[in-house]
Amino acid sequence: MYDSQKLIERIKSVAKEKGIRVKNVLSACDLNPNTLNQISDKKGLSSFSLAKIADYLECSVDYLLGRTEVPNILISVNSNQQNNVNGNNNISIGSPYECEQDELTMELLKSFKALTPIQKAKIIIMVDEIKNG
């Protein structure tokens, strides 16, 4: 069973980390300013509302729900952006990569978050090439 308090804490924590006020997150997602106060273990939050919040905060729904400790980011590289990577018009990267939460991993995630979507896609492709030898 999911814990509504953990969900609320994660939303607040990610928003704070990104320097965004929770009320601004809710407003940008077309949600009532009291949405978080109304969440309970019985009532929950609609999947669409949760997805909107996760997209806005650039993290995964799984992270907000407490199903993973890695706040995965969905990267989307569109064809109208410069420097198509390996000739692909659209690249979506969103599968969860589980990793240990040590200091080095956290530093890597922090650096990765600061990159542009195209830079992130290039790194993912390079890592895949390294893994596949």
Side-chain angles (χ1 to χ4, degrees):
M1 178 139 181
Y2 298 107
D3 179 4
S4 62
Q5 281 309 114
K6 184 163 195 121
L7 171 63
I8 293 167
E9 289 170 14
R10 289 269 171 110
I11 291 170
K12 288 179 177 181
S13 173
V14 175
K16 182 178 180 179
E17 184 180 298
K18 294 181 176 290
I20 305 169
R21 297 177 77 182
V22 173
K23 73 177 193 173
N24 293 344
V25 172
L26 298 174
S27 175
C29 296
D30 296 321
L31 298 171
N32 182 308
N34 294 319
T35 297
L36 295 187
N37 295 333
Q38 296 169 349
I39 296 173
S40 68
D41 286 330
K42 292 179 183 176
K43 187 176 177 184
L45 183 65
S46 82
S47 58
F48 292 114
S49 296
L50 184 57
K52 283 181 182 181
I53 293 170
D55 287 346
Y56 188 82
L57 293 175
E58 297 179 322
C59 66
S60 72
V61 169
D62 283 340
Y63 178 74
L64 293 179
L65 288 173
R67 293 173 52 168
T68 181
E69 295 303 312
V70 180
N72 298 327
I73 300 171
L74 179 64
I75 303 166
S76 179
V77 179
N78 299 315
S79 59
N80 62 350
Q81 290 177 308
Q82 297 179 351
N83 302 326
N84 281 343
V85 181
N86 286 353
N88 293 326
N89 289 334
N90 292 299
I91 299 172
S92 289
I93 302 161
S95 59
Y97 291 97
E98 294 298 330
C99 57
E100 292 179 0
Q101 292 299 303
D102 57 20
E103 289 181 32
L104 183 60
T105 301
M106 295 308 295
E107 187 62 34
L108 180 61
L109 288 171
K110 189 176 184 182
S111 297
F112 189 78
K113 285 181 181 181
L115 300 174
T116 67
I118 290 175
Q119 291 169 326
K120 291 175 184 177
K122 287 180 180 180
I123 287 177
I124 297 290
I125 290 169
M126 285 191 299
V127 168
D128 285 342
E129 287 174 357
I130 291 168
K131 287 191 322 189
N132 296 326

